Amino acid sequence: MMTLYIFFYKLEFLMLQLSPVHLTMKPNQLTESEMKLVYFGLLFFGLLFAHVTCYSSGLVTVACDTMLPRHGNNSVQTTVPPYTVSASNYSFSPGDNITVTLKANSDIVFKGFFLQARTVSGNNTVGYFTVTNSTIQTLDCGGTVKSAVSHTSSINKSSISVLWTAPFTAENVHFRATFVQSRSVFWAEVESPVLTMMSSTSQPNSSSTASPTLISSTQNIASGPPPTSISSSSCGIEKVCFSSPSNCDPATSHNCFFMSSALASGGGYKFEISGPSAGYVSFGFSDDQVMGNDDIYICGMDSVGGIGIQHAYSEGQSRPLTLNLSNVEVNLASFTSGVIQCSFISRNSISTQYPVQQSKSINSSYYILMAYGDSSNGRIQYHGMSGTFISSSKIDPSVATNVTVSSSNSQDLVNAHGCLMLIAWMTTGTLGMVFARYMKVAAKKMIFGKAAWFQAHIFLMFLTVAATITSFVLAFVNAMGWAYGANSHSIIGCIVMILAFFQPIIAIFRPSPQSNWRSIFNWFHALNAFVTYVLAVANLFLGMQLINGNSGWMVKVMGGFLGWVALNVIFFEINAFLARKDLKKAVDNDNQISVKYELFILPFYMCGNLAFLIALLVGIGQS
């Protein structure tokens, strides 16, 4: 520290000697070592000043060619970038204005950025940018005025938008951006989809602001026949086609959900998707017929009414994980006469692996999944089971063929499974437990040598177990055996099946009332029934979410049912408490035990129970 202090002290003294007051001093009046110290100090402060101003102010013209920030020895990130580059249109004519948006994924920010438009073939910077606020500035690269954009400060940003004016060139272009998260963490050359230069006879779309979630083109609302740019004319000859209804043609029918795949020149696949929806249509490739671990593309409505394409990865029943939309050339993105259509070329490998490990799959054949549903502010909503189509067999996306939708018998099996589980655990199972706990006094009349409440309990629980087993078998048949990577609904269903199956078997070995083991049996039997019921009801909620989404009306009706059960349990418990008080008085006075209000509470509860059950059964039927 002392040495550093002496260095700066001597440097300060020499700089004073070079002040305007001392400019008349001749160079030979300074010793050689003093002159070297002065030169070193000037060089040191020059580099320090350049380092301080280059990056925080965004004046990064040194990055015009490489698009790499000069952050010491730190290297560019190689992981999937948490940022996207999108345009308001993916076709242009000379002089068109295109809105370019740089956006971070949720809960992610960037401090700095650098943006250029470059030709696809020659990698030359083209066009010029116009900025609209003080946090963005234009830069001149390669002698071209305003050919790049960067930040003016290092404040956190989640998105920025600039206006790009297309050049008078006949080349396709794409946007490239560098995102700086911190000095040591940055991603370079994050690309947008390719923008196609339109011929003089083509009509460009008018520009619109890009969606925060979808890579968008402009909405085109019209009446009349459906759009004709996508059709089934070459299905089975030049491309793979998957549609519902089978063999429908999106060029002639409004109610045709259609997807096609064909090899693209230069590598990759040309995809087409069309369907009647006011939110989105999507397709994906999967190793099985169950959603989860799927490579998917979404064509949907963004927050400003435009139609865009999104590349995503489905992890199951949660919202898909958004991937960077690179190596994609958009040919069409439109909404006409209530039909959403997208056509694009993707040069990405199809992969059903988690994106961090994403590479070309070892498989060449996949099931095709199609789904449609609503969107809200550019975010897709859960499509439910009714908004899903699954291919009946695996296909190779590069081999032309016609693919059929999986038989509707599958949906019938799923509906029957749901109905039986609702009947078992909303009605028969609940009533069986009510008779065992609350009706021993009111239904003590002997029937076939046993009390009526006991016979009712046995009969109702037999129906419950039988319905559960049948429902489980239907689900097992529908899944064609054990499914790997099963969701929580399937796992809990297996647990409920096991507990329900062993409950009557345990009851067969019930000790006599005089046995010392009877109290232990009673506790164990009741506890197993309670755990089974709680898991079954929780699984009914999960089942409703699979059919109707997390906030659908069926989930809310299921919540109402749970509240109804809780309310009536309170009534039954209060009644049981009053009955115990009467029992004590009756024993003390040697009187007969009286029935309280359980005969009124039971039909009251059953009316509400059946109302909720019927509503949910109707919902399943409609799905």
Side-chain angles (χ1 to χ4, degrees):
M1 290 296 292
M2 181 60 70
T3 303
L4 191 62
Y5 173 77
I6 294 172
F7 166 76
F8 281 111
Y9 176 78
K10 295 180 75 174
L11 187 60
E12 180 184 11
F13 171 77
L14 291 171
M15 294 304 291
L16 287 173
Q17 297 298 316
L18 293 176
S19 65
V21 178
H22 299 88
L23 284 177
T24 56
M25 183 179 292
K26 297 179 180 179
N28 59 10
Q29 290 180 276
L30 297 176
T31 65
E32 183 179 353
S33 62
E34 290 173 333
M35 288 298 296
K36 289 182 178 179
L37 187 61
V38 170
Y39 294 149
F40 176 76
L42 292 173
L43 180 62
F44 176 81
F45 282 111
L47 291 174
L48 180 64
F49 178 78
H51 170 75
V52 170
T53 58
C54 258
Y55 304 109
S56 63
S57 65
L59 298 173
V60 287
T61 52
V62 293
C64 282
D65 294 329
T66 64
M67 301 197 72
L68 294 175
R70 295 186 178 181
H71 288 183
N73 296 324
N74 297 307
S75 58
V76 64
Q77 301 295 304
T78 58
T79 58
V80 177
Y83 307 102
T84 58
V85 183
S86 63
S88 58
N89 281 316
Y90 290 99
S91 57
F92 67 92
S93 296
D96 282 355
N97 290 326
I98 306 292
T99 300
V100 186
T101 300
L102 309 186
K103 183 169 179 63
N105 290 350
S106 58
D107 301 326
I108 301 292
V109 296
F110 56 95
K111 293 182 178 294
F113 69 92
F114 184 72
L115 172 67
Q116 288 181 325
R118 295 195 179 193
T119 58
V120 174
S121 57
N123 199 31
N124 301 314
T125 56
V126 290
Y128 66 89
F129 291 94
T130 303
V131 299
T132 57
N133 62 66
S134 60
T135 63
I136 309 170
Q137 62 185 340
T138 56
L139 301 174
D140 302 339
C141 283
T144 305
V145 177
K146 298 182 180 180
S147 58
V149 184
S150 70
H151 54 283
T152 58
S153 68
S154 59
I155 61 173
N156 290 338
K157 310 165 187 64
S158 60
S159 68
I160 64 100
S161 293
V162 297
L163 195 66
W164 178 74
T165 302
F168 288 85
T169 178
E171 295 185 75
N172 297 338
V173 302
H174 55 191
F175 297 101
R176 287 184 178 178
T178 296
F179 294 87
V180 178
Q181 203 172 87
S182 66
R183 177 176 171 79
S184 60
V185 180
F186 55 89
W187 285 262
E189 297 190 339
V190 179
E191 294 184 352
S192 74
V194 173
L195 280 71
T196 304
M197 172 67 184
M198 299 181 67
S199 63
S200 58
T201 58
S202 301
Q203 296 299 321
N205 294 329
S206 58
S207 61
S208 65
T209 304
S211 160
T213 323
L214 297 172
I215 307 302
S216 73
S217 181
T218 307
Q219 181 180 9
N220 180 21
I221 302 176
S223 58
T228 58
S229 55
I230 297 177
S231 73
S232 61
S233 59
S234 58
C235 288
I237 302 172
E238 298 179 0
K239 59 187 179 182
V240 175
C241 291
F242 178 56
S243 61
S244 179
S246 295
N247 301 318
C248 66
D249 188 351
T252 59
S253 172
H254 284 273
N255 298 314
C256 179
F257 290 94
F258 179 87
M259 172 268 174
S260 73
S261 169
L263 284 178
S265 58
Y269 299 92
K270 179 180 180 181
F271 295 122
E272 298 174 321
I273 185 169
S274 174
S277 175
Y280 70 93
V281 289
S282 63
F283 67 90
F285 299 98
S286 178
D287 292 325
D288 53 37
Q289 293 180 302
V290 180
M291 180 168 287
N293 302 326
D294 313 315
D295 191 353
I296 63 178
Y297 288 91
I298 301 165
C299 174
M301 192 86 67
D302 66 16
S303 60
V304 294
I307 298 298
I309 296 171
Q310 184 178 2
H311 190 195
Y313 179 79
S314 171
E315 298 178 287
Q317 301 301 327
S318 59
R319 192 183 302 277
L321 177 66
T322 302
L323 304 180
N324 184 45
L325 190 65
S326 59
N327 303 317
V328 171
E329 302 171 20
V330 180
N331 300 320
L332 169 70
S334 71
F335 178 54
T336 304
S337 303
V339 177
I340 293 177
Q341 289 194 333
C342 288
S343 174
F344 59 96
I345 295 174
S346 173
R347 306 197 189 278
N348 296 300
S349 298
I350 296 175
S351 177
T352 54
Q353 304 298 312
Y354 190 74
V356 174
Q357 306 166 340
Q358 210 168 43
S359 59
K360 184 175 177 61
S361 290
I362 59 174
N363 299 326
S364 60
S365 297
Y366 309 90
Y367 287 102
I368 298 178
L369 311 178
M370 276 190 72
Y372 69 95
D374 296 327
S375 64
S376 176
N377 294 322
R379 293 172 63 85
I380 66 172
Q381 305 300 303
Y382 181 62
H383 46 73
M385 296 181 66
S386 59
T388 307
F389 310 105
I390 305 171
S391 65
S392 58
S393 60
K394 287 186 175 182
I395 58 97
D396 185 338
S398 63
V399 179
T401 185
N402 279 308
V403 187
T404 59
V405 177
S406 182
S407 172
S408 60
N409 290 336
S410 175
Q411 184 65 42
D412 294 338
L413 290 176
V414 172
N415 288 348
H417 163 80
C419 290
L420 287 172
M421 281 298 190
L422 287 176
I423 294 170
W425 295 104
M426 283 184 65
T427 305
T428 59
T430 307
L431 288 175
M433 288 183 280
V434 166
F435 269 93
R437 179 166 179 81
Y438 302 113
M439 304 300 294
K440 291 182 178 179
V441 175
K444 62 181 179 179
K445 183 179 179 179
M446 304 299 287
I447 300 178
F448 299 115
K450 297 290 184 180
W453 70 265
F454 184 76
Q455 298 286 29
H457 172 72
I458 293 282
F459 176 71
L460 290 168
M461 297 315 294
F462 170 80
L463 293 179
T464 300
V465 174
T468 301
I469 293 174
T470 305
S471 179
F472 179 82
V473 170
L474 292 175
F476 194 83
V477 171
N478 182 66
M480 293 180 292
W482 295 105
Y484 294 96
N487 55 31
S488 56
H489 178 75
S490 302
I491 294 171
I492 296 175
C494 290
I495 296 173
V496 169
M497 176 66 249
I498 294 170
L499 295 177
F501 178 78
F502 282 105
Q503 182 76 342
I505 295 177
I506 296 170
I508 293 174
F509 300 96
R510 181 182 56 164
S512 65
Q514 294 78 26
S515 173
N516 295 331
W517 293 94
R518 183 59 178 260
S519 60
I520 297 176
F521 165 83
N522 289 341
W523 275 102
F524 182 79
H525 188 68
L527 180 62
N528 187 65
F530 177 76
V531 171
T532 306
Y533 183 77
V534 169
L535 290 176
V537 172
N539 217 29
L540 290 179
F541 271 99
L542 294 177
M544 295 304 104
Q545 290 176 1
L546 292 176
I547 296 173
N548 197 229
N550 291 338
S551 58
W553 71 267
M554 296 178 71
V555 177
K556 295 175 182 177
V557 170
M558 193 66 205
F561 162 74
L562 192 60
W564 180 254
V565 171
L567 176 65
N568 282 272
V569 165
I570 293 173
F571 290 159
F572 276 119
E573 287 295 330
I574 293 174
N575 181 73
F577 173 77
L578 296 176
R580 284 193 296 271
K581 289 181 64 176
D582 284 356
L583 174 61
K584 184 178 180 181
K585 292 179 181 179
V587 171
D588 292 341
N589 300 324
D590 198 24
N591 294 330
Q592 187 176 6
I593 303 172
S594 62
V595 177
K596 298 301 288 182
Y597 304 105
E598 53 263 43
L599 292 178
F600 299 99
I601 300 174
L602 181 62
F604 174 72
Y605 166 72
M606 289 181 63
C607 288
N609 182 292
L610 291 175
F612 285 110
L613 175 65
I614 292 171
L616 292 176
L617 292 177
V618 170
I620 290 179
Q622 291 177 345
S623 71

